[in-house]
Amino acid sequence: MAAHLKKRVYEEFSKVSQVTLEEVPSKKLRLTKPSKSAALHIDLCKATNPTDALQYLLSFARKPVEAESVEGVVRILLEHYYKESDNSVRLKIASLLGLLSKTQGFASDCIVDDAINTLNTEKSHQVLAQLLDTLLIIGTQLPDKTAVIQRLIDVACKHLSSTYFGVRNKCLQLLGCLGTVDKPLSKETDTGAGAGAQTSAVRDVLSLISDYFQDQDPRVRTAAIKAMLQLHERGMKIQQTIYNQACKLLSDDYEQVRSAAVQMVWVLSQLYPESIVPIPSSNEEIRLVDDSFGKICHMVSDGSWVVRVQAAKLLGSMHQVSPHFLEQTLDKKLMSDLRRKRTAHERAKELYASGEFSSGRRWADDAPKEKVDTSGVNLIDSGACGAFVHGLEDEMYEVRIAAVEALCSLAQSSRSFAEKCLDFLVDMFNDEIEEVRLQSIHVLRQISTHITLREDQLDTVLAVLEDSSRDIREALHELLCYTNVSTKECIQLALLELLKNLSKYPTDRNSVWKCLKFLGARHPTLVLPIVPELLSTHPYFDTPEPDMDDPAYIAVLVLVFNAAQSCPTMPALFSDHTFRHYAYLRDSLSHLVPHLRLPGRKQTASSGVEASGVGSGSLESAKNFLQDSLVRVSALQNLETPGAQDLLEFTIRDLLRLGELQTELAGSADFCATYLRCQLLLTKALQEKLWTMAVPLCLKQNAKVSTATRQILDETYKLEFLYSGLETQQIATIHNVRLQAKALQLILTARSKRGVDRVLGVCEKFLQDVESFQRLFMTELPHFQDSFVEKLLELMPRLTACKPLDLVKILQTTLRQSRCIHLKLPEQIHRASATIIEPTGESDNPLRFTSGLVVALDIDATLEHVQDPQTTVKVQVLYPDGQSHIIHPKPGDFRTPGPGRVRLITQVYLSHSAWTEPCQIEVRLLLAYSSSSSKLSSSKPAWNESMDGLPTSESSIEGTIHLSKPVKVFIMPKPARR
């Protein structure tokens, strides 16, 4: 019976009922976001004391707010503001109102009335200042609303009488930022009365701000000057009448006021340089730029080092100063031409008024009738004399650096001043701070075209070669490359000191050779008299042949050969072995030894090519050839036609050769050749023979295509990260080729034996990449007609709904039907490259060290056109047993000697177990890249935006690209002694 009941129960609950699809009501999902205003209102209502309310507001400020929710949040905040009695909570609410008004899409003018009303009823000074700051933020968001701007100006003027300095500061800041507009004040369509009213308003703003130059609070005085400077930055012309007020503020007791006043005086000197101003206590008048220059010179002796730095920097930009004022800055004594001279008539009149003789009965009866103020009769303040001398002798190294830079700026525009300040700059080479010495060397290098060094000055300069800092020595080598010297003794002195430097620091070899190359080329007439002494030749006797392995002898030859290029009589002084050494160095060090037309000597082929030179129009013809090659390739409708692949291979060969011949076009030519190589590999991989075979019969072909696919992907990452100067269209073209390679990879995965299980995940990943391309390059899609990515986007609804195997078939058909995109080049493309200078890899002596310990290998390399080298450049060490170590250099190891060039000087620590014999390791530089840090990465979200829900562009793919050729170094780890 129990079994029967159990059976009946199962029968009742196992009935199957079929319901047609029409009977099931469709359910619609609606995604709603929780209301930020409601949540904030609930939190504020829960607060039982001001501390809780402040905590809720602080936590709310850390959360993003959507644009559509801002208005509701603002209303809730204002309602709570009126109810709140605690000052700190009202202060935070006022701050949040300012932040919310920056939200994109929110009309911030709707809260102006509420903010102004709260200003009228607010009693707390701190909250008043914060509300004014909020109004300033709103005003900057609404530059076109003149009515709103005028209301805000009126509010600021009303509250300028506040007793709290913070309120006055904010009012002055608001007047400076909103007082005028960048557009002209009057238009042709305006009435005369309206234009006059606007002009008077502008005049009132200026006078109102200038009234607060004498405020009792130094912070308000500073704010007033900064407001005036803000008006100047926004295009408003400041009146000259405030010059005297600004000059009085230079002697203020507070550092911030003096700093702002110095900036104000400088601005007026740039606006009215030729205006005439009177000298106090005198009838003399001078130009305003000269007067302001003297006053700023006086500030170089200020008690605050911040003011001294600012004054010294501003002096360097005052190029309109009279020469005698400029030269006075180098002498602490007042020169006679800056002191007012009395005429003979004035001197006779004074003698007559004082009487001829003195009886001596009364004390000081022969004293002058009038006391003369010594500072009143000078055209420049005596405290401003020798301003640069004071700056160069300052105790703070920041002031000394600023003074050196200012001297450089002024000396570049005045040859006479450059000659006079030369001794002072040379003396700075002995400064105790390395940064000051280095900056002095750089400055002298910039003005080297205006100066010629004497022997005593050169002796002081060459003493720096003893410095232990490599940066200092190399900077000095760079200076000597572009410096003119006066006598042949200077050449001998420079050569002797450089050879001492070479023997003391052998790693400076390349830098010393380069220095002597330019030194000889600049002074051929000074080198000519000392050639027999340098080469140790004798008119009657044969001298021994020097050793060509001696770096010092090579340095002398580099000097002589470069001087001989401009001196045709010099080769007659060479001995026979000197000609042989020239031929050797011409081949081994062609970048240091120039081509010489030697009498009775055969010209080498390479020399003939160099002698013929490159025509002036060769660069234009090379550019035309490059464009014609790209047009010829783009004319191919189908790359599978007979002869198309041969044309691609020939074009790639021609472009690579063009890059070798024209260094200016090397980056563009290599970029085009790499792109065409990707197209060639893709075309060969899609040949019809492979895809018509059955899957079990094409395993070998699958391996070839897989290798080609990986090679295409590697080449696309090189195209994107190894070349600089690319525009969005070129990056989109590279991503299109990468999508083709990934589609090919997906097809190969589906055709493999083990790929059936993984094909679903690979398909999802590929569809994400297509969506990412559409999002990143939406504006570039019109340029991709009949391309692979355009066909994919048209089929996107079908691709997302079909099965993986159907997706593979669609991709295979689309790959065959898509055409090659014509590559449009930007103005200039640079290829990142690196050259390892040290180690050279020429030494056969192994670097010996005990196994288990470390040995330091010095790396010296030059990087060209590498973007962000401190994070992307790495050093790879490859050992004979296959181990590979990658070292990230420190940021301090990178120097920037010039634009586009970076110098890497670092040490790599090597370690290994014991070896039986020396072996070579390979050292090379790598460029690290990550697909997540693409050149077209999306911008960061703002305060009110969220990244939730945005699809990721692609999973981050990291890799490295070879940046330099490998250098082989012999090492020998020895077994440890027991």
Side-chain angles (χ1 to χ4, degrees):
M1 185 65 182
H4 182 64
L5 289 174
K6 188 175 181 181
K7 182 178 181 183
R8 286 188 62 187
V9 170
Y10 282 143
E11 287 177 356
E12 282 185 348
F13 287 96
S14 61
K15 289 181 180 180
V16 178
S17 61
Q18 293 183 355
V19 183
T20 59
L21 293 176
E22 291 76 15
E23 297 177 1
V24 179
S26 59
K27 297 181 179 179
K28 296 182 179 180
L29 295 177
R30 186 180 65 177
L31 298 177
T32 60
K33 296 182 179 179
S35 173
K36 295 294 177 65
S37 58
L40 178 63
H41 180 67
I42 293 172
D43 289 341
L44 292 178
C45 289
K46 289 191 299 184
T48 58
N49 52 46
T51 304
D52 293 342
L54 194 59
Q55 289 296 328
Y56 287 131
L57 290 173
L58 289 172
S59 62
F60 174 76
R62 290 190 287 267
K63 299 176 183 178
V65 180
E66 296 79 13
E68 57 271 13
S69 303
V70 172
E71 188 172 356
V73 171
V74 167
R75 292 301 161 200
I76 294 297
L77 289 173
L78 287 172
E79 288 178 9
H80 193 77
Y81 180 90
Y82 294 128
K83 300 175 185 177
E84 184 60 50
S85 59
D86 188 76
N87 292 341
S88 60
V89 178
R90 294 205 310 277
L91 182 68
K92 185 60 184 176
I93 291 176
S95 174
L96 286 176
L97 290 175
L99 289 174
L100 290 170
S101 64
K102 296 180 182 179
T103 306
Q104 295 291 336
F106 172 64
S108 55
D109 54 345
C110 65
I111 61 174
V112 172
D113 293 332
D114 295 301
I116 294 177
N117 292 334
T118 54
L119 271 172
N120 297 328
T121 58
E122 183 58 55
K123 302 299 181 184
S124 172
H125 294 305
Q126 288 85 355
V127 181
L128 271 175
Q130 185 60 55
L131 285 172
L132 286 168
D133 187 65
T134 300
L135 288 177
L136 174 60
I137 295 173
I138 295 173
T140 54
Q141 301 290 324
L142 306 170
D144 300 329
K145 302 281 184 75
T146 54
V148 175
I149 298 297
Q150 190 59 44
R151 287 188 64 190
L152 297 180
I153 293 174
D154 295 339
V155 169
C157 295
K158 177 182 176 182
H159 288 84
L160 267 175
S161 58
S162 174
T163 58
Y164 182 58
F165 78 93
V167 175
R168 300 203 299 277
N169 281 359
K170 290 299 179 183
C171 290
L172 290 169
Q173 187 179 355
L174 195 146
L175 287 175
C177 294
L178 305 178
T180 58
V181 293
D182 295 331
K183 298 178 182 178
L185 295 176
S186 60
K187 298 180 181 178
E188 294 179 359
T189 56
D190 294 342
T191 61
Q198 285 182 344
T199 306
S200 63
V202 171
R203 187 178 65 250
D204 288 341
V205 168
L206 285 173
S207 59
L208 189 63
I209 294 176
S210 61
D211 288 343
Y212 285 85
F213 283 2
Q214 308 300 329
D215 192 271
Q216 61 182 355
D217 195 297
R219 292 164 288 192
V220 178
R221 297 198 293 271
T222 306
I225 301 175
K226 289 183 177 179
M228 195 70 75
L229 292 172
Q230 183 69 26
L231 290 175
H232 167 69
E233 291 176 4
R234 296 175 57 240
M236 187 181 212
K237 193 169 184 179
I238 302 174
Q239 301 300 325
Q240 185 187 342
T241 53
I242 65 170
Y243 177 71
N244 291 330
Q245 292 177 282
C247 291
K248 290 179 182 177
L249 291 173
L250 291 175
S251 58
D252 197 277
D253 294 337
Y254 291 88
E255 170 189 329
Q256 295 85 356
V257 181
R258 298 197 303 273
S259 176
V262 168
Q263 186 72 26
M264 188 79 249
V265 170
W266 177 82
V267 167
L268 290 170
S269 71
Q270 303 302 306
L271 292 176
Y272 308 99
E274 301 300 329
S275 298
I276 303 300
V277 295
I279 297 177
S281 305
S282 173
N283 296 327
E284 296 292 327
E285 293 180 339
I286 59 174
R287 298 161 64 223
L288 188 144
V289 66
D290 293 335
D291 187 59
S292 60
F293 183 78
K295 288 180 167 53
I296 295 178
C297 283
H298 185 71
M299 300 306 292
V300 176
S301 304
D302 192 84
S304 169
W305 71 270
V306 177
V307 178
R308 298 200 299 270
V309 169
Q310 184 182 12
K313 288 182 178 179
L314 292 177
L315 287 177
S317 58
M318 303 182 73
H319 299 286
Q320 298 173 317
V321 183
S322 302
H324 50 281
F325 278 87
L326 199 58
E327 293 166 4
Q328 178 63 69
T329 59
L330 300 177
D331 193 349
K332 291 182 179 181
K333 295 180 181 179
L334 187 63
M335 297 180 182
S336 60
D337 57 353
L338 290 180
R339 185 181 294 114
R340 180 179 175 272
K341 303 176 183 64
R342 294 176 299 171
T343 63
H345 179 71
E346 289 175 336
R347 291 196 298 270
K349 182 180 179 181
E350 182 182 355
L351 182 63
Y352 174 77
S354 63
E356 187 174 359
F357 297 104
S358 172
S359 63
R361 293 180 179 180
R362 289 182 300 169
W363 177 258
D365 60 350
D366 59 343
K369 301 297 183 182
E370 178 187 1
K371 287 189 176 181
V372 180
D373 186 7
T374 55
S375 64
V377 297
N378 296 333
L379 301 185
I380 187 173
D381 191 355
S382 59
C385 298
F388 282 124
V389 180
H390 291 296
L392 296 176
E393 296 174 352
D394 198 277
E395 61 179 352
M396 304 296 293
Y397 81 93
E398 293 91 349
V399 182
R400 300 200 295 274
I401 290 179
V404 166
E405 292 174 349
L407 273 177
C408 170
S409 179
L410 294 172
Q412 284 178 322
S413 57
S414 174
R415 189 182 192 92
S416 61
F417 185 71
E419 294 174 354
K420 288 181 173 63
C421 70
L422 178 58
D423 286 326
F424 298 94
L425 289 175
V426 170
D427 287 341
M428 296 306 293
F429 284 17
N430 299 321
D431 195 273
E432 59 182 358
I433 303 297
E434 178 181 339
E435 189 176 350
V436 180
R437 298 197 301 272
L438 190 61
Q439 188 62 31
S440 303
I441 296 172
H442 289 322
V443 162
L444 202 59
R445 156 72 181 87
Q446 294 178 40
I447 64 173
S448 58
T449 55
H450 298 318
I451 58 175
T452 300
L453 289 179
R454 303 188 308 270
E455 188 172 354
D456 59 321
Q457 294 170 336
L458 183 64
D459 195 11
T460 306
V461 169
L462 293 174
V464 185
L465 290 174
E466 300 288 334
D467 200 296
S468 60
S469 171
R470 183 169 186 165
D471 294 336
I472 295 287
R473 297 196 306 272
E474 291 188 352
L476 192 66
H477 296 158
E478 188 81 12
L479 168 64
L480 292 175
C481 290
Y482 300 97
T483 301
N484 298 317
V485 296
S486 54
T487 61
K488 64 185 178 75
E489 286 77 15
C490 293
I491 294 290
Q492 288 178 312
L493 179 63
L495 178 61
L496 181 62
E497 294 297 328
L498 286 170
L499 293 181
K500 287 182 181 178
N501 176 21
L502 188 60
S503 62
K504 186 174 182 180
Y505 301 103
T507 55
D508 292 353
R509 181 181 62 180
N510 291 285
S511 182
V512 170
W513 287 351
K514 177 187 172 184
C515 173
L516 288 170
K517 169 190 173 181
F518 286 93
L519 198 63
R522 292 180 73 91
H523 307 90
T525 56
L526 300 181
V527 175
L528 179 61
I530 59 175
V531 167
E533 182 181 351
L534 295 179
L535 298 180
S536 301
T537 58
H538 195 275
Y540 308 117
F541 303 106
D542 285 337
T543 54
E545 181 176 347
D547 184 10
M548 276 303 297
D549 292 332
D550 184 10
Y553 177 62
I554 295 177
V556 173
L557 290 181
V558 168
L559 173 73
V560 172
F561 290 150
N562 281 277
Q565 188 179 16
S566 305
C567 188
T569 60
M570 194 179 295
L573 303 175
F574 295 170
S575 56
D576 291 339
H577 62 260
T578 306
F579 290 110
R580 294 197 305 270
H581 295 169
Y582 165 76
Y584 171 74
L585 292 179
R586 179 67 189 142
D587 290 335
S588 59
L589 298 175
S590 57
H591 62 288
L592 295 175
V593 179
H595 165 68
L596 299 179
R597 293 186 177 274
L598 302 177
R601 303 277 170 176
K602 285 186 177 182
Q603 303 296 326
T604 60
S606 61
S607 301
V609 172
E610 286 191 9
S612 62
V614 181
S616 59
S618 62
L619 182 59
E620 287 298 326
S621 61
K623 289 182 179 179
N624 295 333
F625 176 79
L626 179 61
Q627 293 294 341
D628 293 343
S629 300
L630 295 179
V631 171
R632 187 167 57 248
V633 171
S634 64
L636 297 174
Q637 297 296 330
N638 188 2
L639 295 180
E640 294 184 1
T641 55
Q645 296 183 16
D646 293 337
L647 177 61
L648 269 182
E649 291 178 350
F650 292 147
T651 305
I652 292 171
R653 182 200 62 187
D654 294 342
L655 291 177
L656 292 176
R657 181 59 179 161
L658 177 66
E660 295 175 359
L661 296 177
Q662 285 287 349
T663 55
E664 295 87 352
L665 295 177
S668 301
D670 291 346
F671 180 82
C672 296
T674 307
Y675 174 75
L676 295 179
R677 190 183 300 113
C678 292
Q679 296 291 344
L680 181 62
L681 290 171
L682 195 62
T683 304
K684 289 183 178 180
L686 291 173
Q687 285 181 345
E688 190 175 358
K689 296 179 181 179
L690 169 64
W691 306 106
T692 54
M693 297 172 63
V695 174
L697 301 177
C698 62
L699 296 179
K700 185 176 181 181
Q701 286 79 359
N702 270 359
K704 291 182 179 179
V705 176
S706 179
T707 303
T709 305
R710 286 195 298 271
Q711 188 175 353
I712 294 172
L713 287 175
D714 293 340
E715 296 290 343
T716 59
Y717 286 117
K718 285 184 182 179
L719 287 173
E720 184 174 1
F721 296 101
L722 201 60
Y723 295 88
S724 58
L726 302 181
E727 298 174 355
T728 310
Q729 186 175 351
Q730 287 81 43
I731 299 177
T733 306
I734 296 169
H735 279 251
N736 176 64
V737 177
R738 190 177 300 161
L739 275 180
Q740 290 178 287
K742 290 182 177 180
L744 191 58
Q745 211 171 35
L746 173 59
I747 297 172
L748 293 175
T749 303
R751 291 170 64 90
S752 63
K753 292 182 179 179
R754 300 178 181 178
V756 180
D757 301 332
R758 299 186 293 119
V759 71
L760 181 60
V762 178
C763 288
E764 292 177 354
K765 175 69 175 59
F766 180 77
L767 293 177
Q768 288 179 5
D769 292 340
V770 177
E771 292 175 356
S772 170
F773 183 95
Q774 183 180 13
R775 187 177 69 254
L776 291 175
F777 305 105
M778 180 66 71
T779 57
E780 301 297 330
L781 290 179
H783 302 289
F784 287 82
Q785 295 180 359
D786 296 332
S787 65
F788 174 70
V789 70
E790 186 192 43
K791 296 179 183 296
L792 279 186
L793 293 177
E794 292 175 356
L795 298 171
M796 199 62 186
R798 181 181 169 191
L799 294 177
T800 54
C802 68
K803 297 180 180 179
L805 294 181
D806 296 334
L807 174 64
V808 170
K809 293 178 181 178
I810 295 173
L811 289 180
Q812 185 172 343
T813 306
T814 308
L815 277 173
R816 299 288 300 266
Q817 294 176 352
S818 59
R819 69 176 185 88
C820 176
I821 300 176
H822 175 53
L823 185 64
K824 294 182 179 180
L825 291 178
E827 289 295 328
Q828 187 72 32
I829 296 179
H830 296 289
R831 187 182 191 276
S833 62
T835 304
I836 298 179
I837 302 173
E838 292 289 341
T840 59
E842 300 172 352
S843 176
D844 294 333
N845 296 325
L847 196 62
R848 302 180 184 273
F849 62 97
T850 303
S851 62
L853 301 180
V854 295
V855 63
L857 178 66
D858 292 326
I859 303 291
D860 184 2
T862 303
L863 312 178
E864 300 279 349
H865 306 295
V866 179
Q867 297 179 345
D868 194 14
Q870 296 183 356
T871 58
T872 57
V873 175
K874 302 180 185 299
V875 182
Q876 182 191 41
V877 179
L878 186 62
Y879 291 94
D881 57 356
Q883 292 185 32
S884 176
H885 294 172
I886 295 181
I887 299 97
H888 196 138
K890 297 178 293 186
D893 295 337
F894 294 91
R895 282 90 166 170
T896 307
R901 293 178 58 239
V902 176
R903 186 82 176 274
L904 173 62
I905 301 176
T906 185
Q907 281 188 333
V908 173
Y909 295 100
L910 310 175
S911 181
H912 210 280
S913 57
W915 295 353
T916 56
E917 60 184 15
C919 288
Q920 289 180 335
I921 61 170
E922 289 189 356
V923 180
R924 63 158 29 111
L925 297 183
L926 303 177
L927 182 70
Y929 67 86
S930 174
S931 58
S932 61
S933 61
S934 173
K935 295 180 180 179
L936 207 74
S937 58
S938 56
S939 59
K940 294 183 179 180
W943 182 78
N944 60 331
E945 295 176 355
S946 175
M947 294 295 289
D948 297 338
L950 288 178
T952 56
S953 60
E954 56 180 348
S955 60
S956 179
I957 298 176
E958 298 181 353
T960 55
I961 303 170
H962 291 171
L963 198 58
S964 69
K965 296 179 180 179
V967 175
K968 295 183 178 181
V969 180
F970 264 109
I971 66 170
M972 176 59 189
K974 300 180 296 182
R977 295 181 179 179
R978 295 181 179 178

